[in-house]
Amino acid sequence: MLRTIKKFFDFCAEKERKQFYLAIFLGVFNAIFVAMRIPAIYLVIGKIVENNLSARDAYIAVAIMISSIFLQTIVSMKTTMLQTRAGYNTASIKRMEIAEHLRYVPMGYFNSEGLGKVTSIATNTMESMSGMASRCIMVVSKGVITSAVIILSMFFFDVRIAMVALITLVIYLLGTELMIRLESNDADHFTKSQDEMVSRILEYVRGIAEIRNFNLFGSKVTDVDDSIDRFAKYSTSMETTYEIMMFLLNILNKLSGVVITIMSITFYLNGSMSLIYAVMMIICSFMIFESLDQVGSFNGLTRAIENCVDKANEALSSPVMKIEGKEVSPDTMTLAMKNVDFSYEEKRIIDDITFEIPEKTQTAFVGPSGGGKTTLTQLLARFWDIDEGTVSLGGIDVREYNYDSLMKNFAFVFQNVYLFNDTIENNIRFGKPDASREEVIDAAKKACCHEFIMELPDGYDTIIGEGGVSLSGGERQRISIARAIMKDAPIIILDEATANVDPENEEKLMKAVEALTSEKTIVMIAHRLKTVRNANQIFVIDKGQIAQQGTHDELMKKEGIYKNFISERNKATTWKIGNNPA
């Protein structure tokens, strides 16, 4: 238990840790104010036993009791506020730390760890940290301190009874430590099954369109149900262990009260203890029982708290790329790769590639799916670090750049656009957080999306929903282009930005792309002839290597992947129902 409390406090930021320390310090005063009831009760019962209770004595006892309750209430309110503020601030700070840390991990981290685990840490884990963890630790520490103070006061009455109470407290704490160890395995399974359940549910919700389209409800629902069943199994197992141990500890706690009562009565009967002392020992035993009962009600959660801290620390300790480079402003926007190799896990994706992309030129990557086109564009912007070779911007290795100074040179428009659950204005403003409304509108006009934005219920203040679900694919693409225009980076990477756009939106989208790419260095992945034929150079990527390179006209004169690729596209665009002689 002490190890868990220390781990939790080490996890907290310094300011929040001090607030928890202050709350525990005030918990000592809380225990003292609770113990103030003992002399008040002693005064009244002693006078009653002596048959000498006066109004003055009663007033003094009542004043002590009221003062005890009032002071305890004030301190409890203060400690509650401290622990609540510290708990929520800790969760907020750690969420931001995790988010900041994940900016610099290789993109492969999200593939290997899975969105479910990352989501679970940022939501469930931090939510438990803010509420359950802080309250649990404060209640447990408060209960132990209160019990210790009451036992300390018992030594002023009778050492024998006080020693019994002290032994009971020690055994109780050892029992709770045993309970934590017994729960350890189930707690580990509990957190892992929770991550898996969140991942399965997210996968199901995100893929609901495909599931409905192919009527996969049976198998996919089974996967979700199985993950929920595993989570329920380990939750039940952990709860069962907790309940059994708590039953035994509560029996111990109650038996200690019985033992203290019997001993007090026995000592009174044999004349070794006065009646008032015997009564006070019995009352104190019940006060201890109440405090330890609070400890037990929360102590079973301490292993789960430790797991929460471990999961958050695991995310914060995930390996990051070296980002502490120089603040570089390159003289040119020329991109180059030299003898670059890159593997994802054990699979070679890029194999000894060398090329150069001159400043303010258009370069297109084409080729079969899975050939490595997208990986190449991501390596240029250092989404991953390469295994061998060099990637450079302006003649300087991208690994020598401060990561933020490198990224300010790039703007991206991906095939699958992600928009945030926010206003359209704020989504566009992602490219320049301090932009004015006028700048946002200007970027939207250049991206050919001002017109449809003004037709929305609240214009630029319209909330578009998570992922931009309320907009069409073409509209989302144009919002993404407006965001990139707002950033005004010198290098634009287009990853099949027009691949899934209908003909009605394509013309507007191409105008938006022209506005975005004017006087920029352009790197594009495209499958449409009109997109690639005007490129200054085209690289045909196949199996992680450059199979062909040249301009459109040069490549069309050679037999190979590119010529076949263009021929197939031409056939596809001219195909009509009547063309099939059958």
Side-chain angles (χ1 to χ4, degrees):
M1 181 178 67
L2 292 177
R3 181 188 65 183
T4 300
I5 293 175
K6 182 180 183 303
K7 179 178 284 192
F8 177 74
F9 286 161
D10 289 343
F11 178 77
C12 298
E14 183 177 358
K15 179 181 178 182
E16 284 63 39
R17 189 185 309 126
K18 289 180 179 178
Q19 290 179 327
F20 279 121
Y21 288 159
L22 178 58
I24 290 177
F25 178 72
L26 291 176
V28 176
F29 286 94
N30 181 83
I32 292 172
F33 296 144
V34 171
M36 281 175 58
R37 300 168 193 174
I38 295 174
I41 296 171
Y42 175 78
L43 175 63
V44 172
I45 294 177
K47 292 297 183 180
I48 291 175
V49 170
E50 296 172 359
N51 198 23
N52 191 27
L53 180 65
S54 65
R56 180 175 177 275
D57 296 328
Y59 290 147
I60 292 174
V62 169
I64 295 174
M65 292 290 287
I66 292 175
S67 298
S68 169
I69 294 170
F70 176 76
L71 292 172
Q72 183 195 0
T73 301
I74 296 297
V75 170
S76 293
M77 289 175 59
K78 180 63 177 177
T79 55
T80 299
M81 289 302 299
L82 284 170
Q83 78 181 41
T84 301
R85 187 180 298 112
Y88 281 104
N89 285 347
T90 295
S92 175
I93 290 169
K94 292 302 176 180
R95 278 193 178 104
M96 295 303 296
E97 284 185 15
I98 291 172
E100 185 69 16
H101 183 83
L102 293 180
R103 288 179 58 198
Y104 304 109
V105 301
M107 294 298 292
Y109 171 83
F110 299 99
N111 297 331
S112 61
E113 296 298 329
L115 183 61
K117 183 172 182 178
V118 176
T119 303
S120 180
I121 292 173
T123 55
N124 296 336
T125 301
M126 289 299 104
E127 187 64 28
S128 297
M129 194 71 66
S130 63
M132 176 192 74
S134 58
R135 177 161 176 74
C136 171
I137 286 175
M138 295 313 300
V139 169
V140 169
S141 59
K142 175 182 173 183
V144 172
I145 291 171
T146 300
S147 298
V149 170
I150 293 172
I151 291 172
L152 180 63
S153 67
M154 291 172 70
F155 276 96
F156 290 97
F157 294 98
D158 191 279
V159 174
R160 297 167 297 178
I161 301 297
M163 286 300 299
V164 172
L166 180 60
I167 292 171
T168 299
L169 176 62
V170 172
I171 294 175
Y172 192 92
L173 295 179
L174 290 175
T176 59
E177 184 64 27
L178 175 62
M179 177 174 65
I180 293 171
R181 293 182 182 275
L182 290 175
E183 283 187 317
S184 176
N185 190 49
D186 284 336
D188 291 339
H189 287 305
F190 169 83
T191 54
K192 290 177 181 177
S193 63
Q194 185 182 57
D195 291 342
E196 182 191 8
M197 179 182 67
V198 172
S199 181
R200 292 293 185 186
I201 292 173
L202 278 173
E203 180 185 41
Y204 182 84
V205 173
R206 290 163 68 91
I208 191 67
E210 284 74 16
I211 292 170
R212 294 179 64 180
N213 185 32
F214 293 100
N215 197 28
L216 297 174
F217 288 101
S219 60
K220 289 301 178 184
V221 171
T222 299
D223 290 342
V224 174
D225 285 345
D226 287 346
S227 66
I228 294 173
D229 288 341
R230 279 190 290 274
F231 178 68
K233 170 188 172 183
Y234 292 120
S235 298
T236 302
S237 178
M238 189 169 69
E239 191 67 24
T240 300
T241 302
Y242 168 75
E243 289 298 334
I244 292 173
M245 288 300 299
M246 280 313 304
F247 172 76
L248 296 175
L249 289 174
N250 283 333
I251 291 295
L252 169 68
N253 204 8
K254 291 180 174 67
L255 284 176
S256 69
V258 173
V259 170
I260 289 174
T261 300
I262 293 173
M263 289 179 64
S264 298
I265 293 173
T266 300
F267 291 155
Y268 166 69
L269 292 176
N270 65 23
S272 61
M273 181 183 290
S274 65
L275 176 60
I276 178 60
Y277 278 19
V279 173
M280 290 306 302
M281 292 299 94
I282 294 171
I283 292 174
C284 285
S285 71
F286 281 101
M287 294 176 71
I288 295 170
F289 166 72
E290 181 184 2
S291 297
L292 290 183
D293 194 41
Q294 292 180 352
V295 173
S297 64
F298 280 88
N299 203 43
L301 299 174
T302 51
R303 177 58 187 171
I305 295 169
E306 191 168 351
N307 275 354
C308 288
V309 173
D310 289 340
K311 285 173 65 178
N313 283 333
E314 181 183 347
L316 287 168
S317 62
S318 56
V320 297
M321 298 183 295
K322 181 184 175 183
I323 61 175
E324 301 82 9
K326 297 175 289 187
E327 187 74 26
V328 179
S329 297
D331 295 330
T332 70
M333 290 297 120
T334 297
L335 290 162
M337 283 191 177
K338 184 176 181 181
N339 304 122
V340 169
D341 292 335
F342 175 74
S343 299
Y344 175 64
E345 294 181 348
E346 300 300 322
K347 183 179 180 182
R348 176 64 63 88
I349 306 297
I350 301 300
D351 186 9
D352 194 25
I353 279 185
T354 298
F355 62 77
E356 182 175 290
I357 300 174
E359 182 180 39
K360 296 184 180 179
T361 61
Q362 290 193 14
T363 297
F365 291 137
V366 300
S369 296
K373 303 183 298 295
T374 297
T375 302
L376 279 175
T377 61
Q378 293 174 341
L379 291 176
L380 288 172
R382 206 187 168 202
F383 280 20
W384 285 280
D385 276 333
I386 57 176
D387 301 330
E388 298 290 341
T390 57
V391 179
S392 62
L393 169 61
I396 303 171
D397 193 312
V398 294
R399 288 168 291 194
E400 295 183 19
Y401 284 75
N402 172 290
Y403 194 74
D404 291 332
S405 73
L406 174 67
M407 290 306 299
K408 71 182 181 182
N409 297 298
F410 292 89
F412 303 87
V413 180
F414 297 112
Q415 177 181 357
N416 298 316
V417 177
Y418 189 87
L419 300 179
F420 294 87
N421 185 19
D422 204 339
T423 64
I424 286 182
E425 179 177 3
N426 285 339
N427 268 280
I428 295 175
R429 194 178 274 130
F430 263 74
K432 184 180 178 182
D434 58 349
S436 65
R437 168 63 72 93
E438 290 71 23
E439 290 176 291
V440 171
I441 293 174
D442 182 57
K445 288 179 177 178
K446 290 178 181 178
C448 301
C449 52
H450 175 73
E451 184 177 336
F452 83 76
I453 292 174
M454 295 308 296
E455 293 175 355
L456 296 173
D458 298 313
Y460 284 86
D461 295 319
T462 301
I463 303 291
I464 57 178
E466 184 177 356
V469 293
S470 60
L471 302 178
S472 70
E475 289 170 341
R476 289 198 297 271
Q477 284 286 9
R478 281 180 274 162
I479 293 290
S480 177
I481 291 172
R483 179 190 292 170
I485 289 173
M486 180 69 72
K487 186 176 182 181
D488 194 27
I491 301 171
I492 310 296
I493 294 180
L494 304 171
D495 188 351
E496 301 191 63
T498 63
N500 297 325
V501 179
D502 54 83
E504 181 180 347
N505 278 313
E506 185 176 7
E507 182 179 354
K508 294 179 180 178
L509 190 58
M510 292 307 298
K511 289 181 179 178
V513 170
E514 289 175 8
L516 170 65
T517 58
S518 178
E519 295 298 310
K520 307 286 187 182
T521 302
I522 312 302
V523 182
M524 68 178 78
I525 298 172
H527 288 158
R528 299 193 181 194
L529 176 59
K530 65 174 67 177
T531 308
V532 301
R533 71 179 306 155
N534 295 323
N536 299 100
Q537 59 181 343
I538 299 169
F539 293 108
V540 180
I541 309 299
D542 184 30
K543 298 178 182 178
Q545 296 181 322
I546 298 177
Q548 293 178 288
Q549 67 182 84
T551 64
H552 169 75
D553 292 337
E554 290 170 347
L555 292 173
M556 286 301 293
K557 295 175 183 178
K558 304 175 184 177
E559 295 298 326
I561 295 174
Y562 186 80
K563 186 175 181 179
N564 295 336
F565 163 77
I566 296 300
S567 298
E568 289 173 4
R569 291 299 183 274
N570 287 336
K571 289 179 182 178
T573 56
T574 58
W575 184 86
K576 296 180 181 179
I577 293 177
N579 287 353
N580 190 337

